[in-house]
Amino acid sequence: REGRNQYERAFGVSSKDPFGAMYRSDEEMLKFMAGQNSVWSICGRDVLAAFDLSPFTQIYDLGGGGGALAQECVSLYPNSTVTIYDLPKVVQVAKEQFVSPEERQITFHEGDFFKDSIPEAELYILSKILHDWDDDKCKQLLAKVYKACKPGGGVLLVESLLHEDKSGPVETQLYAVNMLVQTEGKERTAAEYSKLLEAAGFGVIRAKRTGKLHDAVLGRK
C-alpha cells in the first residue's frame, strides 16, 4: 500500500543492504544459494544459448553465487573459462558445497562489485543482479563493467523482462512485487535495460525472450 519496500520493518536491516538480511545466517545463505542454483539448472541453458557466446572465452559471472550458471556456461561453451565474482563468504560456501575443485574451467574472485575493482574480461554476466537495484546503482555498476570490459567484449543481462506496456507476463509482475517488498529494485522492460546499457556506453544491444522464466539482453563494447 505504501509503494515502498518493507525490509527494514520486517528484518530491522536497511533496505539498501538486502543481502545483509538474506545472508544473516549461514543457513539462510545456503538456502538462498541452493534456490538460485535450482533456477539455473532448469533455465540456465536457455539464457546462455539465446545468443552465440562462443567468441567470448574469458567470462566473469558477477554475483555468480553457487555457480550453477557458470557450470551451464562451461558445459555449453567448452572453450570458455568462467570466474565467479562474489562476496568472500559466498565464494567460501560455493567452493565447499557447490563447485568441485575438479571443475578447472571455473575459478573464483572475492569482492564486492560496488566497492572493489572489476578485473578485465571479454564478457560479463549479470544474472538477476540489476533487478535488485534502482537505476542509479545499475548505472554505477554498468559503468564499472564497461570500463573493465575488453574492446569488442560485452555484457549479458539475464532478467525476467516485462512487456513494453508492462501488461505482463504475470510471472514477471509477481517478481516485481517481490522486488518491491524486498529490494530497492524492480523488474524492467527490454527498452529500460537497453537505456541503462546505453548510459554506460554499451551499444549494439539486443534482447531475446526465451519463453522460460528468464530472458537475455546482450550489449557490446
Side-chain angles (χ1 to χ4, degrees):
R1 283 195 294 268
E2 293 170 4
R4 63 183 182 85
N5 77 52
Q6 302 298 311
Y7 226 60
E8 201 150 355
R9 184 180 293 176
F11 298 117
V13 175
S14 168
S15 59
K16 296 188 186 303
D17 181 26
F19 292 94
M22 218 173 287
Y23 295 162
R24 62 192 178 277
S25 72
D26 290 347
E27 186 188 1
E28 287 291 320
M29 183 168 69
L30 191 60
K31 199 186 294 182
F32 178 77
M33 290 171 70
Q36 294 294 330
N37 268 7
S38 67
V39 169
W40 301 129
S41 64
I42 294 166
C43 60
R45 190 157 283 245
D46 296 281
V47 296
L48 293 168
F51 301 100
D52 177 14
L53 304 180
S54 59
F56 308 111
T57 56
Q58 185 191 13
I59 300 169
Y60 262 70
D61 186 358
L62 301 180
L69 192 63
Q71 288 167 324
E72 291 290 339
C73 192
V74 296
S75 166
L76 190 59
Y77 301 105
N79 293 324
S80 68
T81 59
V82 180
T83 301
I84 296 168
Y85 185 124
D86 217 315
L87 299 170
K89 58 186 176 181
V90 174
V91 166
Q92 187 182 341
V93 172
K95 284 179 175 178
E96 288 171 3
Q97 303 275 349
F98 298 114
V99 181
S100 155
E102 278 78 60
E103 297 194 61
R104 301 193 185 281
Q105 286 170 271
I106 297 175
T107 57
F108 293 90
H109 182 104
E110 296 182 1
D112 178 330
F113 47 58
F114 282 115
K115 297 174 185 169
D116 303 320
S117 64
I118 296 174
E120 185 181 70
E122 292 171 1
L123 180 72
Y124 299 87
I125 299 174
L126 281 80
S127 57
K128 296 170 68 179
I129 302 295
L130 296 188
H131 76 166
D132 291 332
W133 309 102
D134 64 22
D135 286 359
D136 287 343
K137 289 278 271 191
C138 290
K139 286 174 184 173
Q140 179 190 333
L141 178 57
L142 289 172
K144 282 184 80 172
V145 170
Y146 183 82
K147 191 174 177 186
C149 187
K150 287 185 175 179
V155 61
L156 180 74
L157 308 182
V158 178
E159 297 284 1
S160 190
L161 296 177
L162 283 166
H163 297 325
E164 291 303 325
D165 64 0
K166 304 196 177 177
S167 62
V170 69
E171 296 91 347
T172 312
Q173 291 171 326
L174 289 170
Y175 275 137
V177 175
N178 190 28
M179 291 300 105
L180 174 62
V181 170
Q182 295 201 68
T183 74
E184 295 282 297
K186 60 184 179 179
E187 302 302 340
R188 296 174 173 90
T189 66
E192 287 173 324
Y193 281 116
S194 295
K195 275 186 185 172
L196 293 174
L197 288 168
E198 284 166 2
F202 289 99
V204 197
I205 298 159
R206 293 179 291 156
K208 278 202 182 167
R209 293 186 178 274
T210 64
K212 299 279 182 74
L213 279 174
H214 297 94
D215 306 299
V217 181
L218 182 67
R220 301 293 296 267
K221 180 171 179 178

